[in-house]
Amino acid sequence: MWHRDPSGYDSTTCKTYPGRSWRFHVHHWRLQVHPLQQWRRRLLTRCTWCGGRSLKGDCVNVSHSWDGPRARWWQGEKGLFHRDCSSVDRAHSTCVCESPVLDGRSYGRCATCDRFRPFGVTEANLARARDLQQIPQGGRRATSEETSDA
């Protein structure tokens, strides 16, 4: 059970009862049935990067936003990624220029490639991002099981 304040704020803004008395606001409750949530995610939710389904060992549950729009219960959740697809998506949006022209001193949007360079990035991070950028748009790396079969 989860409290959902109709105003969109947390339970401290409810003026009817002070403090933790939101428990008595039955009309604010939101029931969660975990098996139904898992069923919905497996059947309807697709990875934003590769379009793949959520599987038991490879869940689509990584988000790049804090509070995205909610979908109807019969629709899949939007903006979710597999864990490795999230890394590839972030790498594709990272500046890996040899000599970037940045807004800040060592971070910011690059004027050369129009991508963002994060603060405190190291050469090892850049090498990893360059490696992940070799994966084509919407693609994934082959898992160790797939490469051993070939």
Side-chain angles (χ1 to χ4, degrees):
M1 198 173 342
W2 195 259
H3 176 260
R4 285 190 61 91
D5 194 346
S7 64
Y9 298 102
D10 64 4
S11 62
T12 59
T13 61
C14 240
K15 302 294 183 198
T16 310
Y17 300 104
R20 297 176 51 96
S21 299
W22 58 264
R23 294 177 294 209
F24 304 113
H25 297 183
V26 178
H27 57 284
H28 291 184
W29 289 358
R30 178 177 169 231
L31 298 177
Q32 294 181 345
V33 182
H34 293 282
L36 287 177
Q37 289 173 315
Q38 292 168 353
W39 174 81
R40 172 187 177 216
R41 184 164 284 175
R42 285 225 176 133
L43 290 179
L44 302 174
T45 301
R46 299 281 192 252
C47 176
T48 302
W49 178 258
C50 71
R53 290 181 180 234
S54 182
L55 303 173
K56 187 171 187 174
D58 193 21
C59 296
V60 178
N61 61 358
V62 177
S63 174
H64 292 175
S65 65
W66 178 258
D67 192 20
R70 289 182 40 88
R72 301 280 187 199
W73 68 268
W74 64 85
Q75 297 171 332
E77 299 161 287
K78 303 294 181 196
L80 295 180
F81 297 84
H82 292 105
R83 185 173 35 169
D84 58 329
C85 291
S86 171
S87 299
V88 175
D89 180 62
R90 286 296 183 198
H92 275 264
S93 64
T94 300
C95 169
V96 293
C97 297
E98 293 294 331
S99 55
V101 180
L102 302 170
D103 296 341
R105 290 185 176 154
S106 61
Y107 64 94
R109 184 146 313 270
C110 176
T112 308
C113 65
D114 197 36
R115 294 180 182 161
F116 187 79
R117 166 106 26 132
F119 178 77
V121 69
T122 63
E123 283 300 319
N125 297 122
L126 288 176
R128 174 109 172 110
R130 287 183 184 113
D131 183 41
L132 289 175
Q133 282 184 356
Q134 300 303 315
I135 299 172
Q137 187 78 21
R140 292 181 79 178
R141 274 201 181 172
T143 63
S144 59
E145 297 165 357
E146 292 172 359
T147 55
S148 64
D149 293 341

